[in-house]
Amino acid sequence: MWGICSRAMVKVGMAKPCGLVKPCHLVKPVSATRVSGRYLTHQRGLPALPVPPLQQTCERYISALEPIVEVDELKHTKELLAEFQKAGGVGERLQRGLEKRASKTDNWLSEWWVQVAYLTYRLPVVVHSSPGLVLPRMNFRDKQGQIRFAAKLIAGVLDFKTMIDNETLPVEYLGGKPLCMNQYYEVLSSCRIPGLKKDSVVNHAKSSRPPKHITVVHNFQFFVLDVYNSDGTPLTSDQLCVQLDRICSSSQQTNMVPVGILTTQHRDLWGKAYLNLIKDKTNKQSVSAIQRSIFTLCLDGAMPQVSEETCRSTAAVQMLHGGGSQWNSGNRWFDKTLQFIVGEDGTCGANYEHAPAEGPPIVALIDHVVEYTRKPEMTRSPMVPLPMPQKLHFNITPEIKKDIEEAKQDMNILAGDLDIRVTVFGHFGKDVPKSHKMSPDAFIQVALQLAYYRMYQHCCATYESASLRMFRLGRTDTIRSASNASAAFVKAFDDPNRQNTEKVDLMAKAVAAHRSYTNMAISGQAIDRHLLGLKLLALEENLSMPEIFTDPAFAKALHYRLSTSQVPSKADCVMCFGPVVPNGYGVCYNPMEDHINFAVSSFNTCKETDASQLAQAVENALLDMRTVLDQTPRAKL
Ligand code: COA
């Protein structure tokens, strides 16, 4: 199993060289379709993603390999790189090709990226690609509370959508630079469509008649809910409450066939089952209504009872995959770009299909929604009778039934395999690193390196997502957190022969090196997407694959046993995702000012990994690093 999503995709290009590099025209950059407005003016003002110099990438690649490969492997790679870079060689040719591509496109990477990172990736989107988001537990514990909260949530999303529709979303900044806002225009009214070999994404927001409905799923039954009045105003929370109540009353039956579970399947199998499903006209119309909807709201049934201590981890399970076919995995349409999930016990969150966007725009939307739901009740609107939400019907043939049964089995195996722990590190947050004049993100990443080293006595290739949104249509590049500086630090930290002053010095260097890599990555000068581009171009031009890409060291560099991401938010939430390699960990964290939320995942079938153990090791590493800092005179920093 190869991990994918943006956190590990480069592996795919490497593991399965194939003709997958044709640009996708289905996820159209907004700039291709919008012809006016503030959005376009903003987008036009953004710089284009640069193609880094070839020699710089080769040198940086060698440095990145140093802490994770053996000396003889490194020597071999250096020889291959020298050959690759030589004057008139294949490296130069590919570099020129990339520069040409950059001069002719809005972003030389973005269309390739959505293809290789997502649409040609065939493992289930569930766990392997789509992140979950766990919100703080809300203050309701019954069906009525669930409905009332869900109604406010819908109203909050519609409020945010108004800003998208009017192009009045405030522009975001990173390090003082304005960011590309395209992803905000991709997440609503959009859906992934399974294909036999590759998928596509359709965005109905850009159609001449954009959708006015959402889909609601309750007890595995789907409904179309129109969320705008005939005068174009969004339904109020009170109106939505009435409609959700009607939906719940008419879907009390609990033994329904979970058609939605088909979307948890391996993409090739789902692609086949999809064609079979939509052969029937009614089924086709129902699927189309889901795909066209603005988003999906999942009103979930119960999840297994757990202690207060583990309820956040169970919530992560619910958001990530629904818990298996006996719980809520069938109460979803995982191809839908955005699904909000509300349980009866105050649990709530979301799941999103990753192809159109990264976490931060999703979290910004959700932060807005959470704030909206906390506002006092709106004034009650006069209750004009609204049409009954329309139930979506499915005709289940024996063949479809068989596909559903297979999907249930496979989903249950996957659910049983995933171990996920959500922890709150309550001892400090961004405040402590900041007080020591260190980047909090870099501090956490160095702690992760220490935790991993303590468990395994070696350093591993580590992925952290870095935003490329300073550039038009930018997505992500990789911050390689295992560096020479972090390796020197983790090896010295538990050595009783080293003085604290030396440990603090090495820590400061490791943190600074990480921050410096981050700056390099967000300014488009990291190595991973550049190497990917060179490789994809070689494939596109049918060149024999340069040996640097078939080199075992390259495979090692892309085998991310630590796949990590910071997703900050205003609300006290945490995003979660699965590991990207069978023997790896997925680690997502949200550093708040005085605490840090972590979600750590691993696979139970791998005997070497243990999510709880890593979560504990990270906590210990953070505490030990602070202790050493506190015990060491500041002048030494
Ligand atoms: N001394 C004191 N304070 C410092 C500092 C230092 N040396 N370095 C940084 N800080 C402060 C910053 O000013 C910032 O302050 P704020 O809390 O007031 O905003 C804060 O510490 C956080 O900075 P830092 O921890 O360095 O991280 P960052 O916010 O720059 O984020 C990344 C780093 C890599 C996470 C970010 O650049 C990024 O790319 N994010 C997108 C990731 C993504 O897309 N993830 C989703 C994938 S699905």
Side-chain angles (χ1 to χ4, degrees):
M1 167 178 22
W2 296 113
I4 181 83
C5 89
S6 54
R7 291 177 300 281
M9 67 67 43
V10 193
K11 185 124 221 164
V12 172
M14 187 205 68
K16 306 180 213 158
C18 52
L20 45 72
V21 290
K22 276 218 171 111
C24 160
H25 295 292
L26 290 162
V27 181
K28 273 195 183 140
V30 170
S31 54
T33 50
R34 280 169 192 265
V35 286
S36 64
R38 295 185 344 161
Y39 167 80
L40 193 54
T41 313
H42 167 71
Q43 291 295 111
R44 279 198 183 128
L46 294 169
L49 181 69
V51 178
L54 186 61
Q55 196 190 341
Q56 172 186 295
T57 293
C58 292
E59 285 165 7
R60 289 178 174 176
Y61 175 45
I62 289 293
S63 303
L65 287 180
E66 276 164 0
I68 56 167
V69 301
E70 303 300 327
V71 177
D72 52 337
E73 286 177 312
L74 193 67
K75 185 169 167 280
H76 180 61
T77 305
K78 281 180 180 168
E79 287 162 12
L80 296 182
L81 279 167
E83 175 67 22
F84 182 69
Q85 281 182 90
K86 75 175 182 210
V90 67
E92 272 190 4
R93 173 176 170 181
L94 292 172
Q95 177 74 4
R96 271 200 308 277
L98 270 195
E99 285 163 359
K100 192 166 160 211
R101 182 180 166 95
S103 69
K104 291 198 300 198
T105 49
D106 263 349
N107 183 312
W108 63 264
L109 177 65
S110 56
E111 286 185 347
W112 267 345
W113 180 250
V114 80
Q115 288 290 312
V116 294
Y118 303 109
L119 301 179
T120 55
Y121 181 60
R122 307 315 286 161
L123 283 185
V125 291
V126 180
V127 172
H128 299 292
S129 176
S130 300
L133 183 87
V134 183
L135 282 167
R137 200 164 181 209
M138 298 295 161
N139 200 16
F140 60 85
R141 297 288 177 271
D142 60 11
K143 192 90 208 162
Q144 268 320 303
Q146 179 188 30
I147 289 177
R148 180 139 291 281
F149 177 80
K152 277 196 124 183
L153 182 147
I154 300 170
V157 183
L158 296 178
D159 193 54
F160 193 86
K161 183 175 180 292
T162 306
M163 286 195 285
I164 296 178
D165 293 344
N166 297 343
E167 301 187 10
T168 52
L169 268 178
V171 169
E172 292 172 331
Y173 289 81
L174 182 64
K177 301 242 173 73
L179 298 184
C180 173
M181 299 297 286
N182 177 64
Q183 291 179 32
Y184 283 98
Y185 294 85
E186 302 293 344
V187 295
L188 295 176
S189 312
S190 127
C191 194
R192 182 165 172 151
I193 315 285
L196 289 177
K197 291 230 161 60
K198 70 173 186 174
D199 297 351
S200 54
V201 173
V202 278
N203 183 340
H204 296 282
K206 297 165 195 172
S207 74
S208 53
R209 287 178 49 232
K212 302 276 180 231
H213 70 279
I214 66 166
T215 33
V216 179
V217 50
H218 178 245
N219 282 336
F220 307 160
Q221 297 157 66
F222 288 84
F223 291 81
V224 163
L225 170 56
D226 288 321
V227 288
Y228 289 91
N229 288 300
S230 50
D231 64 358
T233 56
L235 297 197
T236 63
S237 302
D238 285 340
Q239 287 176 303
L240 288 162
C241 230
V242 171
Q243 295 296 71
L244 291 180
D245 211 23
R246 292 166 95 180
I247 287 175
C248 289
S249 307
S250 56
S251 51
Q252 291 300 316
Q253 219 181 329
T254 53
N255 58 347
M256 300 301 286
V257 179
V259 186
I261 206 148
L262 288 168
T263 62
T264 65
Q265 216 7 324
H266 184 283
R267 303 307 296 179
D268 287 347
L269 296 179
W270 172 213
K272 235 168 107 205
Y274 177 77
L275 292 180
N276 193 25
L277 180 72
I278 61 167
K279 261 192 236 155
D280 177 278
K281 201 171 152 223
T282 305
N283 294 351
K284 191 175 181 175
Q285 282 168 352
S286 296
V287 168
S288 167
I290 298 171
Q291 290 167 343
R292 289 180 47 79
S293 63
I294 301 168
F295 61 88
T296 297
L297 169 74
C298 310
L299 293 173
D300 269 12
M303 287 292 286
Q305 288 284 329
V306 288
S307 66
E308 203 53 36
E309 197 199 333
T310 52
C311 74
R312 272 201 163 202
S313 301
T314 308
V317 163
Q318 190 171 353
M319 301 311 146
L320 207 48
H321 60 68
S325 66
Q326 71 277 39
W327 303 103
N328 287 296
S329 299
N331 211 45
R332 306 276 185 274
W333 196 266
F334 280 103
D335 290 353
K336 196 70 198 150
T337 306
L338 201 41
Q339 300 193 90
F340 292 94
I341 299 158
V342 184
E344 276 183 37
D345 60 351
T347 308
C348 63
N351 181 284
Y352 78 93
E353 200 290 298
H354 215 324
E358 264 69 59
I362 306 284
V363 167
L365 188 158
I366 285 171
D367 271 339
H368 180 90
V369 171
V370 169
E371 222 169 283
Y372 188 94
T373 59
R374 287 185 181 142
K375 283 186 193 160
E377 291 286 328
M378 301 290 108
T379 48
R380 285 177 183 270
S381 46
M383 283 296 170
V384 234
L386 291 165
M388 178 69 193
Q390 177 206 339
K391 184 164 180 175
L392 295 174
H393 294 280
F394 287 95
N395 294 320
I396 307 294
T397 63
E399 209 179 336
I400 297 171
K401 183 90 179 72
K402 189 167 155 277
D403 289 336
I404 290 174
E405 288 307 315
E406 272 173 25
K408 278 160 92 172
Q409 273 178 26
D410 291 347
M411 180 63 242
N412 292 343
I413 292 169
L414 183 56
D417 196 13
L418 188 82
D419 185 16
I420 184 147
R421 285 286 170 274
V422 172
T423 55
V424 179
F425 176 79
H427 303 275
F428 59 87
K430 291 195 279 185
D431 50 353
V432 163
K434 279 184 188 176
S435 71
H436 289 281
K437 307 223 170 341
M438 291 179 177
S439 147
D441 184 68
F443 189 85
I444 295 165
Q445 285 287 332
V446 170
L448 264 162
Q449 289 298 307
L450 179 58
Y452 185 89
Y453 186 79
R454 282 172 162 176
M455 283 175 75
Y456 298 101
Q457 287 77 53
H458 66 253
C459 304
C460 69
T462 307
Y463 183 111
E464 183 192 356
S465 318
S467 175
L468 284 176
R469 286 178 56 210
M470 280 184 193
F471 305 100
R472 196 180 313 124
L473 304 179
R475 297 291 300 259
T476 57
D477 205 330
T478 312
I479 303 167
R480 290 188 163 267
S481 309
S483 64
N484 283 323
S486 72
F489 167 70
V490 299
K491 285 173 188 164
F493 194 75
D494 292 328
D495 183 345
N497 300 319
R498 309 286 191 109
Q499 298 295 313
N500 274 0
T501 47
E502 194 189 349
K503 291 179 185 176
V504 167
D505 183 47
L506 289 170
M507 188 196 305
K509 283 185 175 141
V511 169
H514 188 86
R515 186 62 233 182
S516 151
Y517 203 124
T518 300
N519 290 340
M520 183 172 111
I522 61 177
S523 55
Q525 299 296 328
I527 57 174
D528 280 84
R529 301 303 180 264
H530 186 200
L531 290 172
L532 174 71
L534 295 166
K535 181 165 183 269
L536 290 177
L537 202 63
L539 282 170
E540 201 169 74
E541 297 195 350
N542 280 324
L543 301 180
S544 68
M545 189 48 67
E547 278 187 82
I548 61 160
F549 300 120
T550 54
D551 180 18
F554 189 62
K556 254 193 186 175
L558 298 176
H559 189 85
Y560 295 112
R561 292 196 63 192
L562 282 176
S563 166
T564 76
S565 188
Q566 181 195 140
V567 183
S569 67
K570 286 192 212 139
D572 194 10
C573 60
V574 68
M575 202 163 251
C576 50
F577 45 75
V580 298
V581 293
N583 60 348
Y585 292 98
V587 182
C588 196
Y589 52 94
N590 177 8
M592 311 289 282
E593 214 46 43
D594 62 356
H595 67 280
I596 310 167
N597 299 330
F598 282 99
V600 180
S601 63
S602 63
F603 289 118
N604 289 319
T605 38
C606 175
K607 294 292 160 247
E608 294 161 41
T609 52
D610 183 326
S612 304
Q613 250 184 51
L614 183 69
Q616 185 59 55
V618 174
E619 171 156 347
N620 295 344
L622 285 165
L623 286 172
D624 294 346
M625 282 165 66
R626 180 182 66 176
T627 303
V628 164
L629 280 172
D630 286 349
Q631 287 171 355
T632 312
R634 290 202 54 154
K636 298 283 178 197
L637 282 176

